Amino acid sequence: MKKILSLLLLIILAACSDQGAVDKLNENYPNVKKEMERLPKEVQQKMAAPEKLPFQSKDVQLTYAVDPAGDPKGDILHTEFTYGNEKGSVLRVTTFQNKNANFNDEGEKKTTKLKDGTEVIIERESSDVKSIRWSKDDIYYGMMLMGSEFKMDDLLKSANSMDY
């Protein structure tokens, strides 16, 4: 019985110590932590980031747009993690915080689905830029991958690994 309880306790402790992708960014990048601390808790709770990247990131930046501009206590419109490497590859992950985010869906749009069935709109698929957006639990997300060596599948793998 003691062995079973010990094993159960170990599993619970391991589960509690598992950090999400946003928490890892906050811990590993002081500049991200500094910007994150400026944001309201309800904004921080909506932020999402991928567990898997299409390249080895050397730097991550957190930026946000706010109304009025420059006031982190104002209405946060969106937050964005920007991952970069030394070779010019960039991945931008945007969480649209504003409930009134409006996207122009006029005309035919190419779509695909994430593993969980979420419909993804492919906004751009060129040789240098791949861009998608989707909605999950009434929050809009966007992801853009820049670099000629990548394919749409690389971007979708990152989107599928999002930690919401």
Side-chain angles (χ1 to χ4, degrees):
M1 183 70 169
K2 286 184 179 181
K3 288 182 181 180
I4 293 173
L5 288 175
S6 296
L7 181 60
L8 184 59
L9 181 61
L10 182 63
I11 291 171
I12 291 170
L13 288 174
C16 291
S17 68
D18 186 30
Q19 290 183 306
V22 173
D23 291 335
K24 288 177 187 174
L25 292 173
N26 197 22
E27 182 178 299
N28 296 328
Y29 296 92
N31 59 329
V32 169
K33 182 177 183 174
K34 179 182 171 188
E35 290 301 315
M36 186 104 54
E37 289 173 345
R38 297 179 71 193
L39 297 170
K41 291 291 182 198
E42 61 271 8
V43 169
Q44 293 178 35
Q45 291 170 350
K46 291 180 186 177
M47 295 170 67
E51 293 281 349
K52 297 177 184 173
L53 302 176
F55 55 84
Q56 184 67 36
S57 179
K58 297 291 182 188
D59 187 39
V60 180
Q61 299 292 320
L62 170 61
T63 57
Y64 54 90
V66 64
D67 185 28
D71 179 8
K73 302 296 183 210
D75 186 21
I76 305 295
L77 304 175
H78 72 263
T79 57
E80 184 171 83
F81 290 110
T82 304
Y83 302 80
N85 67 9
E86 296 167 344
K87 299 175 184 171
S89 299
V90 175
L91 177 69
R92 298 174 77 170
V93 180
T94 307
T95 303
F96 295 91
Q97 300 281 344
N98 190 314
K99 294 175 188 167
N100 298 321
N102 190 9
F103 296 104
N104 183 359
D105 285 335
E106 293 178 17
E108 290 289 317
K109 295 282 186 185
K110 187 176 176 185
T111 63
T112 189
K113 291 192 184 262
L114 297 178
K115 286 182 196 175
D116 67 2
T118 301
E119 185 175 72
V120 172
I121 296 173
I122 298 173
E123 291 190 309
R124 185 168 180 184
E125 187 174 8
S126 69
S127 61
D128 293 337
V129 178
K130 282 78 177 151
S131 177
I132 58 176
R133 66 179 160 86
W134 68 98
S135 174
K136 184 155 182 86
D137 300 326
D138 295 324
I139 299 174
Y140 286 93
Y141 300 94
M143 194 176 280
M144 180 185 297
L145 178 60
M146 293 173 265
S148 59
E149 66 274 26
F150 302 110
K151 304 215 178 312
M152 182 58 74
D153 283 345
D154 298 315
L155 183 60
L156 292 172
K157 284 178 188 174
S158 289
N160 276 312
S161 75
M162 287 288 281
D163 179 28
Y164 300 100

